[in-house]
Amino acid sequence: MKQIYIHPLPVRIWHWINALGFLVLIASGLQIRYLEIAEVVSFKTAVDVHNWIGFVLIANYFLWLGFYMFTDKITVYLPEMNSEKYFKDSWRQIKFYGYEIFLGKVNPHHPTPYHKFNPLQIMMYQIVMLLFVPIQFLSGLFLWDVKQFAFWVDLLGGIRIVDTIHVVMFIVFSGFLVMHLYLITLGHTRFAHIKAMLTGYEEVDDGGKHAQPSEKK
Ligand code: HEM
């Protein structure tokens, strides 16, 4: 096994602030919506926390966006341009997640610092970060001050529509989180990907090059 530096510091800082913030947003959002079922904190506290964390995460988003826009690491989010190879690699990955993993086969994608994601991760993370997250932040911003953003709220069809978009995205994110939390346990050990997102370094198979002579097969 050798170590490769796969998650640069700004990505790790963004990611853990984002992950923690999302959990607080989900909890405070549920409290705002279901106050009548259980009042863990007051309505005002839940709204204040939700708004503050929302703004922190909007600012934090630009750390992620800025990092990828202004460094050569943007390559990790660029899909393969050869469409035949792209579909072949995606299908290979679907087969792996679908059943090969249960047969004990190894992940066919071998990450490098400039191509750390497999084609399915690229697609999923692009949709989440470039579509879902901005939709959620913007709809939240419009609901935060409907008067100031009256033009946009009216354009979208009124408060009910904006609110529905915000709630539907909440459901989407909750689903994404369940899937994300399962997929991140599929490294070569249960916690390998989580460790990598904490330290920056991922352990990858180097075909036994770094093994002691006695360990080589
Ligand atoms: C407790 C919650 C979470 C945990 C434990 C977690 C864990 C991880 C881990 C271990 C990775 C690296 C695996 C990989 O490379 O695919 C990762 C990557 C990623 N996660 Fe999460 N995550 C959490 C919540 C979230 C949330 C809420 C979002 C978005 C809304 C998110 C978005 C992402 C993205 C976009 C990446 C790729 C980052 C990059 O390298 O550019 N995660 N996550």
Side-chain angles (χ1 to χ4, degrees):
M1 286 281 177
K2 69 170 178 184
Q3 305 247 352
I4 54 166
Y5 190 58
I6 205 161
H7 299 304
L9 188 62
V11 172
R12 283 178 282 146
I13 295 175
W14 158 77
H15 184 271
W16 291 119
I17 293 177
N18 188 64
L20 195 72
F22 256 78
L23 296 180
V24 178
L25 285 180
I26 289 174
S28 53
L30 284 172
Q31 177 67 99
I32 293 168
R33 179 69 184 75
Y34 296 110
L35 199 70
E36 70 283 3
I37 296 178
E39 192 173 335
V40 181
V41 295
S42 73
F43 182 72
K44 188 182 177 317
T45 306
V47 171
D48 286 347
V49 168
H50 201 78
N51 289 343
W52 272 104
I53 301 295
F55 280 114
V56 170
L57 289 202
I58 290 176
N60 190 41
Y61 176 76
F62 290 98
L63 176 60
W64 173 85
L65 191 66
F67 174 80
Y68 282 114
M69 294 291 285
F70 299 112
T71 67
D72 58 359
K73 288 284 164 38
I74 186 68
T75 50
V76 304
Y77 276 93
L78 301 180
E80 168 67 54
M81 289 315 278
N82 176 341
S83 54
E84 200 181 319
K85 183 166 176 358
Y86 179 78
F87 285 115
K88 228 174 100 193
D89 289 351
S90 301
W91 180 240
R92 191 185 61 170
Q93 209 61 41
I94 290 169
K95 279 196 302 189
F96 171 69
Y97 286 133
Y99 67 91
E100 285 177 358
I101 190 168
F102 304 111
L103 305 175
K105 297 231 171 118
V106 245
N107 194 325
H109 177 74
H110 302 289
T112 67
Y114 286 93
H115 297 282
K116 64 178 168 178
F117 298 138
N118 68 51
L120 302 184
Q121 281 175 304
I122 293 181
M123 190 170 61
M124 191 65 217
Y125 288 150
Q126 270 198 19
I127 294 173
V128 167
M129 295 308 291
L130 300 176
L131 195 66
F132 292 170
V133 166
I135 290 177
Q136 191 65 326
F137 286 170
L138 283 175
S139 56
L141 193 68
F142 297 162
L143 290 171
W144 167 69
D145 193 339
V146 280
K147 270 199 192 139
Q148 196 180 325
F149 294 101
F151 171 79
W152 294 103
V153 173
D154 288 344
L155 193 76
L156 289 165
I159 297 178
R160 274 180 179 225
I161 304 280
V162 181
D163 190 43
T164 304
I165 294 172
H166 202 66
V167 173
V168 167
M169 290 317 297
F170 152 75
I171 297 166
V172 168
F173 276 114
S174 304
F176 163 76
L177 251 183
V178 173
M179 210 168 74
H180 192 53
L181 292 181
Y182 164 65
L183 290 169
I184 58 159
T185 63
L186 303 183
H188 75 280
T189 67
R190 197 64 78 227
F191 294 104
H193 288 328
I194 299 173
K195 219 171 106 194
M197 198 35 115
L198 286 166
T199 63
Y201 289 90
E202 174 106 27
E203 272 191 338
V204 292
D205 196 355
D206 63 349
K209 263 186 257 153
H210 281 65
Q212 298 301 314
S214 59
E215 291 175 308
K216 284 188 184 168
K217 289 186 190 132

